[in-house]
């Protein structure tokens, strides 16, 4: 019995003849920050989709807190304590910023349909608790002045932060961030790194993040896993990865090969 | 946190609206409103109740349904049968009929919704259209099971139990309940499914469950509206529940604004008044022009306000404090 929070064992996903993820292994210890990197099309996002139940693996297991979660639906995986953000931000555009966050806590409320219809005291209490928690998160992410705006009207960087706030709403144990720094300038990336570290500290999170910006990966990750063509090709500390010949090959090509960068 | 709740604009609006409706009821009792106008007013309420149901399904939850009139018909026939079977129940006949109509419509919506709500947009529209056609055929052949349902010739001899007061009370209740629903955790879950179903699942929303919930509640409202309709016109013809009638409700919802209760109320009342009102206003020689005026109004509204009269907005008094703009 290990005490890893997440263990991915022999995960394989084939889309017809294309094997997007092939016999993939990964262990994540509680409280760590792991980076998942690799060239475009390596299968990183597919791994996220497999963990969160959005697609079914062809074979293999995803063990979260000692339990195989393969076959669970996304909302069930979320309720167990795994939440994620998306590479192409997926907010609820026509909902307000506040509601985007509040909706993510919905399942915890024991106030049901009838409570809502008659606005029972229990409904009011739960609604107030949810709203307080949502506001707390929004202010942590610097969005407290935006709460009544529609999510679709926020600038890009704030949309990314809102997605993180939403993902934190249900107190996840494992947070999956899919390219959180995409499209950000160097100053914003710096602030994002600090933010991720402080949120991790504050909420005792374990984080797995996909990232292309090496500054982020090398700067905050304790462990890095590298994928290429659906396979895990290297694993280790950022320093080890930087000097790994298979990684360099995956990114830059084989020395003396047809060298087109 | 203050403990004492102040009386918000919502309560004031409710008081004013109830007062206004009671005033109308007073005029009716005093005999100042002729029966024809009374019928139009009742019909407006029936249209609003049914359209609110479709708005919950399509406007809020984003599930495209072309079968709404079928559920309206199910409610109409069910409640008409019930009041036929319970002739001596007096005052309680209509409420019992309406509850039965709502329940049967809800149960059928649940059974049909489970398989077809997996479908997306256009495909769901076609599936609900198919369901509407099946129901239409069943209504047309209903006399083979229950002679009183009349089949293609229509069902006659339904008691005229629907009064303005009944319609007004139920319409106000429908608006209040729907408002409470959409401005709640349940409502946010429904809208999140409309906005991005996958992301909704990714934040813990059981989308199958909520789509079904929205569909069932919306169809129950259609069932109640159908029951009121049956006891208003006292005659049911299967053609009144075919897919063209579903399109009518769809138009009202789109014109009012998808995801706006205020818009549906305005468009529903406007629809009934315009369609029937023109009958009174226009001289008989140009009655035929009704069907010209009316589509023109549709085109103009869509050109001027493409998101519907209200868009996704509500009158401020309908919104709870945490949804109002400061």
């Amino acid at each position: 019995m290990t005490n890893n929070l997440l263990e991915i064992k022999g995960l394989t996903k084939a889309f017809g003849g294309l094997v997007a993820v092939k016999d993939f292994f990964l262990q994540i210890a509680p409280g760590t920050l792991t980076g998942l990197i690799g060239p475009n099309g390596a299968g990183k996002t597919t791994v996220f989709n497999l963990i969160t139940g959005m697609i079914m693996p062809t074979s293999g297991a995803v063990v979260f807190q000692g339990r195989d979660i393969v076959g669970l639906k996304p909302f069930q995986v979320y309720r167990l304590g795994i939440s994620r953000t998306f590479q192409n931000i997926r907010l609820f555009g026509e909902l307000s910023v506040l509601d985007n966050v509040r909706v993510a806590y919905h399942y915890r409320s024991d106030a049901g349909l009838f409570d809502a219809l008659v606005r029972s005291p229990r409904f009011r209490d739960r609604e107030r608790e949810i709203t307080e928690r949502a506001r707390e998160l929004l202010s942590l992410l610097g969005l407290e002045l935006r709460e009544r705006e529609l999510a679709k009207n926020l600038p890009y960087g704030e949309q990314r932060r809102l997605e993180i706030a939403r993902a934190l709403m249900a107190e996840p144990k494992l947070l999956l961030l899919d390219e959180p720094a995409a499209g950000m300038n160097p100053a914003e990336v710096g602030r994002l790194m600090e933010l991720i570290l402080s949120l991790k500290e504050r909420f005792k999170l374990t984080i797995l993040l996909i990232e292309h910006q090496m500054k982020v990966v090398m700067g905050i990750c304790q462990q890095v896993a590298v994928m290429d063509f659906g396979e895990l090709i290297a694993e280790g500390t950022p320093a080890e990865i930087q000097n790994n010949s298979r990684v360099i090959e995956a990114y830059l090509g084989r020395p003396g090969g047809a060298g087109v960068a | 946190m203050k403990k004492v709740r102040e009386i918000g604009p919502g309560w004031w609006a409710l008081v004013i609206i109830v007062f206004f409706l009671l005033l109308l009821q007073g005029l009716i009792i005093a005999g100042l409103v002729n029966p024809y106008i009374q019928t139009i007013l009742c019909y407006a309420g029936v249209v609003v109740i049914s359209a609110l149901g479709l708005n919950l399904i399509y406007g809020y939850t984003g599930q495209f349904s072309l079968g709404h009139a079928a559920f309206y018909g199910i409610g109409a026939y069910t409640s008409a049968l019930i009041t036929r079977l319970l002739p001596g129940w007096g005052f309680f006949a209509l409420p019992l009929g309406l509850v039965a109509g709502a329940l049967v419509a809800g149960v059928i919506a649940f059974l049909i919704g489970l398989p077809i709500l997996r479908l997306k947009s256009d495909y769901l529209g076609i599936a609900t259209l198919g369901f509407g056609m099946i129901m239409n055929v069943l209504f047309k052949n209903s006399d083979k099971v229950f002679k009183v349902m009349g089949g293609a010739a229509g069902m006659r001899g339904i008691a005229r139990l629907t009064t303005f007061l009944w319609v007004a009370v139920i319409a106000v209740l429908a608006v209040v309940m729907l408002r409470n629903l959409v401005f709640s955790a349940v409502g946010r879950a429904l809208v999140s499914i409309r906005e991005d179903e996958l992301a909704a699942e990714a934040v813990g929303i059981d989308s199958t469950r909520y789509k079904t919930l929205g569909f069932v509640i919306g169809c129950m409202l259609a069932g109640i509206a159908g029951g009121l309709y049956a006891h208003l016109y006292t005659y049911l013809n299967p053609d009144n529940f075919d897919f063209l009638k579903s399109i009518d409700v769809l138009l009202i919802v789109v014109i009012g604004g998808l995801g706006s209760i205020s818009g549906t109320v305005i468009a529903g009342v406007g629809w009934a008044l315009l369609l029937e009102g023109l009958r009174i206003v226009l001289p008989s020689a140009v009655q035929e022009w009704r069907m010209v005026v009316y589509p023109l109004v549709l085109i103009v509204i869509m050109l001027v306000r493409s998101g519907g009269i209200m868009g996704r907005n509500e009158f401020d008094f309908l919104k709870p404090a945490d949804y109002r703009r400061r």
Side-chain angles (χ1 to χ4, degrees):
Chain A
M1 186 65 207
T2 56
N3 48 12
N4 283 329
L5 185 67
L6 185 80
E7 287 190 20
I8 298 175
K9 297 173 182 169
L11 201 63
T12 299
K13 176 66 188 178
F15 295 104
L18 175 82
V19 183
V21 175
K22 193 173 166 189
D23 201 23
F24 183 79
F25 283 81
L26 188 67
Q27 283 93 38
I28 294 177
T32 55
L33 206 168
T34 307
L36 183 59
I37 66 169
N40 284 323
K44 306 179 296 290
T45 297
T46 307
V47 168
F48 271 24
N49 289 339
L50 288 166
I51 296 173
T52 52
M54 289 182 177
I55 53 177
M56 282 284 286
T58 312
S59 62
V62 177
V63 179
F64 179 69
Q65 293 188 310
R67 174 184 172 184
D68 188 358
I69 58 170
V70 165
L72 294 185
K73 292 186 165 178
F75 74 88
Q76 293 168 320
V77 173
Y78 176 84
R79 292 174 186 194
L80 288 177
I82 302 181
S83 55
R84 70 173 292 180
T85 65
F86 294 89
Q87 187 177 355
N88 48 338
I89 306 171
R90 298 185 82 143
L91 291 167
F92 307 118
E94 293 278 349
L95 280 178
S96 71
V97 166
L98 181 64
D99 280 353
N100 261 277
V101 186
R102 288 201 290 188
V103 78
Y105 202 59
H106 167 247
Y107 78 95
R108 289 242 181 147
S109 169
D110 59 348
L113 180 64
F114 182 74
D115 292 300
L117 286 178
V118 302
R119 309 257 129 176
S120 69
R122 176 161 58 185
F123 169 83
R124 289 172 186 283
D125 287 349
R126 292 301 166 276
E127 202 75 346
R128 200 179 55 239
E129 287 163 22
I130 294 174
T131 307
E132 274 168 19
R133 177 162 174 82
R135 290 206 167 119
E136 194 185 316
L137 278 171
L138 286 178
S139 71
L140 262 177
L141 286 146
L143 293 165
E144 69 276 18
L145 297 175
R146 298 287 204 180
E147 73 171 55
R148 312 242 163 167
E149 294 203 33
L150 293 184
K152 65 172 184 184
N153 295 336
L154 291 188
Y156 182 81
E158 293 187 358
Q159 290 196 356
R160 283 239 172 259
R161 293 212 298 276
L162 177 55
E163 228 194 359
I164 294 175
R166 185 178 69 179
L168 291 173
M169 191 63 187
E171 298 168 321
K173 299 175 189 92
L174 177 63
L175 177 64
L176 309 176
L177 299 172
D178 198 344
E179 293 197 36
M184 290 187 174
N185 67 37
E188 287 171 325
V189 170
R191 282 199 295 275
L192 178 78
M193 287 163 64
E194 283 169 31
L195 179 70
I196 290 174
L197 287 177
S198 76
L199 291 174
K200 175 173 175 290
E201 201 61 33
R202 186 182 183 108
F203 296 108
K204 315 240 174 307
L205 292 167
T206 305
I207 299 178
L208 174 62
L209 67 84
I210 294 177
E211 194 45 73
H212 277 297
Q213 302 212 27
M214 285 306 133
K215 181 180 161 191
V216 178
V217 178
M218 300 305 156
I220 59 175
C221 293
Q222 296 153 336
Q223 188 193 198
V224 180
V226 191
M227 286 183 85
D228 194 23
F229 294 111
E231 286 181 87
L232 181 73
I233 59 167
E235 212 183 346
T237 64
E240 287 163 7
I241 292 300
Q242 271 174 313
N243 300 314
N244 183 304
S245 60
R246 287 196 68 187
V247 176
I248 295 167
E249 192 182 298
Y251 272 91
L252 300 175
R254 201 183 296 271
V260 184
Chain B
M1 259 322 115
K2 61 173 176 283
K3 273 284 165 208
V4 186
R5 275 170 49 209
E6 55 182 299
I7 299 171
W11 286 105
W12 286 116
L14 189 63
V15 167
I16 292 167
I17 288 165
V18 167
F19 176 77
F20 175 74
L21 292 172
L22 284 176
L23 197 70
L24 259 177
Q25 173 67 11
L27 291 177
I28 289 171
I29 291 170
L32 294 169
V33 183
N34 80 42
Y36 181 60
I37 304 223
Q38 281 184 43
T39 304
I40 295 177
L41 289 174
C42 289
Y43 185 59
V46 169
V47 167
V48 165
I49 295 166
S50 170
L52 285 174
L54 184 63
N55 205 350
L56 183 67
I57 297 168
Y58 183 38
Y60 289 95
T61 321
Q63 307 304 305
F64 188 45
S65 170
L66 285 172
H68 206 62
F71 293 99
Y72 184 63
I74 290 168
Y77 277 102
T78 306
S79 65
L81 268 179
I82 293 285
T83 55
R84 262 291 181 84
L85 294 172
L86 306 170
W89 284 57
F91 174 84
F92 296 102
L94 183 64
L96 259 172
L98 295 179
V99 168
L103 286 179
V104 173
V107 168
I108 294 178
F110 178 75
L111 295 176
I112 193 78
L114 278 182
I116 69 172
L117 285 172
R118 300 159 192 274
L119 301 170
K120 309 274 180 231
S121 60
D122 340 12
Y123 308 107
L124 177 61
I126 291 168
T128 50
L129 184 68
F131 171 74
M133 288 172 173
I134 292 169
M135 284 315 300
N136 196 248
V137 171
L138 290 181
F139 293 148
K140 280 186 172 146
N141 293 287
S142 56
D143 53 336
K144 301 200 168 86
V145 186
F146 293 104
K147 195 96 192 86
V148 287
M149 284 175 76
M155 182 171 182
R156 289 173 193 286
I158 304 163
R160 192 180 157 111
L161 301 172
T162 300
T163 60
F164 177 73
L165 199 58
W166 273 115
V167 174
V169 167
I170 294 172
V172 168
L173 269 177
V175 169
V176 171
M177 294 287 202
L178 196 61
R179 174 264 192 196
N180 284 352
L181 179 71
V182 300
F183 292 112
S184 78
V186 178
R188 293 193 291 266
L190 296 178
V191 175
S192 74
I193 292 170
R194 176 192 76 198
E195 290 296 304
D196 188 333
E197 191 171 335
L198 188 71
E201 283 261 335
V203 296
I205 308 289
D206 182 349
S207 66
T208 309
R209 181 167 165 232
Y210 279 95
K211 282 194 287 187
T212 311
L213 181 79
F215 190 63
V216 167
I217 295 176
C219 290
M220 287 175 82
L221 282 171
I224 293 171
L228 288 169
Y229 172 85
H231 297 88
L232 178 64
Y233 288 101
T234 69
Y235 167 69
L236 298 177
N237 188 309
D239 288 340
N240 285 334
F241 309 109
D242 66 4
F243 95 97
L244 284 174
K245 296 296 165 183
S246 293
I247 303 272
D248 283 354
V249 194
L250 187 66
L251 285 177
I252 291 168
V253 171
V254 172
I255 290 168
L258 288 167
S260 169
I261 296 169
S262 327
T264 297
V265 173
I266 295 172
V269 172
W271 168 283
L273 295 189
L274 189 69
L275 212 57
E276 297 299 317
L278 282 177
R279 237 194 264 269
I280 308 173
V281 178
L282 294 179
S284 56
V286 291
Q287 277 287 311
E288 300 301 313
W289 288 86
R290 268 192 331 135
M291 285 303 153
V292 175
V293 173
Y294 163 66
L296 277 177
V297 171
L298 295 188
I299 294 172
V300 170
I301 290 177
M302 280 298 108
L303 286 175
V304 178
R305 302 203 70 143
S306 56
I309 297 169
M310 292 295 288
R312 291 201 201 282
N313 214 341
E314 298 288 358
F315 292 128
D316 242 22
F317 62 77
L318 274 177
K319 300 181 199 164
D322 52 340
Y323 284 88
R324 234 171 278 138
R325 290 206 166 266
R326 274 163 296 196

